[in-house]
Amino acid sequence: MNFGCDTGFYAMNLIPICCLIFAPVAGAIIHVIGVEGEAVLLTFPLTEGSEAIAIDWRYKKQQTETKIASFAHGIITTDDDIQFNTRLILNTTVVFLQIEPLHLQDSGLYVVEIKLQDKRKVFERFNLTVYVKISNTFLKKKAGSNHCTAEESGKLADVRSKHNCSFILECGAEKGNYIHFYWQKSGANLTRWISDCSPHSVNCSLMEVPTDQENCNANYSCTASNVVSTETKYIIPCFTAQEKTCRDRYFIGLSVVSLMLVAMGLSAKFYIRQKNEGKHKAVSSLKHAENCEESFREIVYADLKNTAE
């Protein structure tokens, strides 16, 4: 008696069991994270005792599905698609697909369908997202960002003391994707005053800060972060790198001038001292000469007196 699915045999609920043998089995989509320039593994481990006799890997993006690698009749093919070319490695024992190096455009949905030796078919779906590591971050006071309301313009003797004035801090990264920016002021999280640079500039964040003594001298930080990398920069708005350079140059110049003045003072003091010592020596020499002359006169007078006697 034939108990196959095509016999119409319904006894003992065998029809559902028979027909499910060839139904593909899949779970939820597996989300995978990759890093641009590195390798990623899309793995589908088989149960113990199972053996794959055919494997198909397909790549789907924007409603287009393309076969990129396959295993059939003992032959592995990994150059079916020009996008991946020689970047694929297919393993049939563990059943994994390796992509190296990853390109940004490799993000998308990958589907593997496996035909097992016992005629079952299984498949799995992987949603790959390729991230770019964040690098070359910056945090700066935006040039020309000091802003005051119209009624206060031209009246500010000290802009730092006016609460209706503001400046803008700009934080960004030259490389990276899916970036989130987090701002802090003196270690405390900030959620206000924050905006995007523009709808087309996703790697940039702005913060408009009131210009007063507290905010001006606070230590601000901006953290650029995505799933695979994080970078943090710090700034004191009223003490920027340019202002620090100017301050350093000012103090260096002041130090040089001070040293010159000290040197001139010492030189003048030494000159006056030498001059005074010269006068003292001249007076001493003159007195000595006068004493010698007086002694000479006394000797001559004594000799003349003795001769006359």
Side-chain angles (χ1 to χ4, degrees):
M1 183 180 292
N2 187 356
F3 292 97
C5 287
D6 57 348
T7 64
F9 184 77
Y10 293 92
M12 299 175 62
N13 296 323
L14 290 180
I15 286 180
I17 297 175
C18 174
C19 293
L20 282 174
I21 288 177
F22 297 97
V25 179
I29 295 177
I30 299 173
H31 294 275
V32 181
I33 293 171
V35 180
E36 184 185 41
E38 299 182 8
V40 69
L41 285 179
L42 307 179
T43 305
F44 184 74
L46 297 177
T47 57
E48 187 176 354
S50 298
E51 181 182 349
I53 59 175
I55 302 173
D56 276 330
W57 280 94
R58 299 187 299 275
Y59 172 66
K60 185 176 182 180
K61 191 171 186 179
Q62 297 177 348
Q63 307 304 318
T64 301
E65 188 170 287
T66 306
K67 185 169 75 170
I68 58 174
S70 61
F71 168 68
H73 308 294
I75 299 174
I76 295 175
T77 305
T78 57
D79 56 357
D80 288 331
D81 186 74
I82 191 171
Q83 175 180 331
F84 297 93
N85 201 5
T86 59
R87 297 186 294 125
L88 301 179
I89 296 177
L90 174 59
N91 184 289
T92 61
T93 305
V94 182
V95 183
F96 68 73
L97 182 71
Q98 176 177 304
I99 309 172
E100 184 183 17
L102 274 176
H103 295 169
L104 191 59
Q105 61 268 27
D106 294 338
S107 294
L109 186 68
Y110 293 78
V111 181
V112 58
E113 184 174 338
I114 304 170
K115 185 177 181 181
L116 301 175
Q117 192 175 28
D118 58 8
K119 298 185 179 180
R120 285 187 302 139
K121 287 184 179 180
V122 293
F123 74 93
E124 192 62 86
R125 295 169 296 171
F126 302 85
N127 185 33
L128 173 64
T129 303
V130 180
Y131 286 84
V132 179
K133 285 186 177 180
I134 297 170
S135 62
N136 300 329
T137 56
F138 59 87
L139 175 57
K140 62 184 180 180
K141 186 177 177 181
K142 197 171 181 181
S145 67
N146 287 335
H147 172 72
C148 298
T149 55
E151 60 270 23
E152 290 294 330
S153 297
K155 299 180 181 179
L156 303 181
D158 181 7
V159 71
R160 296 183 182 183
S161 66
K162 303 300 180 180
H163 290 268
N164 53 348
C165 295
S166 63
F167 56 83
I168 295 176
L169 298 180
E170 181 180 5
C171 179
E174 293 182 8
K175 290 192 67 178
N177 61 349
Y178 305 106
I179 300 177
H180 296 279
F181 293 94
Y182 305 93
W183 290 86
Q184 286 190 328
K185 173 188 171 184
S186 301
N189 292 329
L190 292 174
T191 56
R192 57 178 179 167
W193 308 330
I194 301 170
S195 63
D196 295 329
C197 292
S198 71
H200 306 291
S201 181
V202 295
N203 286 3
C204 179
S205 178
L206 299 178
M207 172 175 284
E208 185 171 358
V209 184
T211 308
D212 53 37
Q213 194 67 26
E214 177 188 354
N215 288 302
C216 192
N217 295 317
N219 187 358
Y220 288 86
S221 69
C222 174
T223 299
S225 177
N226 62 13
V227 174
V228 297
S229 58
T230 298
E231 285 195 5
T232 302
K233 295 294 181 181
Y234 301 88
I235 190 174
I236 298 176
C238 295
F239 191 57
T240 62
Q242 182 177 1
E243 290 165 342
K244 180 179 184 298
T245 301
C246 292
R247 191 203 69 160
D248 291 345
R249 289 178 179 176
Y250 168 77
F251 281 114
I252 290 172
L254 187 62
S255 300
V256 171
V257 172
S258 299
L259 288 173
M260 291 177 64
L261 290 175
V262 170
M264 290 173 64
L266 291 174
S267 299
K269 186 176 180 180
F270 179 76
Y271 173 76
I272 293 172
R273 183 177 178 184
Q274 290 291 102
K275 188 175 181 181
N276 290 336
E277 287 180 355
K279 284 183 178 180
H280 180 70
K281 289 181 179 180
V283 171
S284 299
S285 299
L286 182 60
K287 288 183 177 180
H288 181 69
E290 290 177 351
N291 292 335
C292 289
E293 185 179 357
E294 185 65 26
S295 300
F296 179 74
R297 285 177 182 175
E298 290 178 355
I299 293 172
V300 171
Y301 177 77
D303 288 341
L304 291 175
K305 186 177 180 181
N306 291 331
T307 302
E309 292 176 352

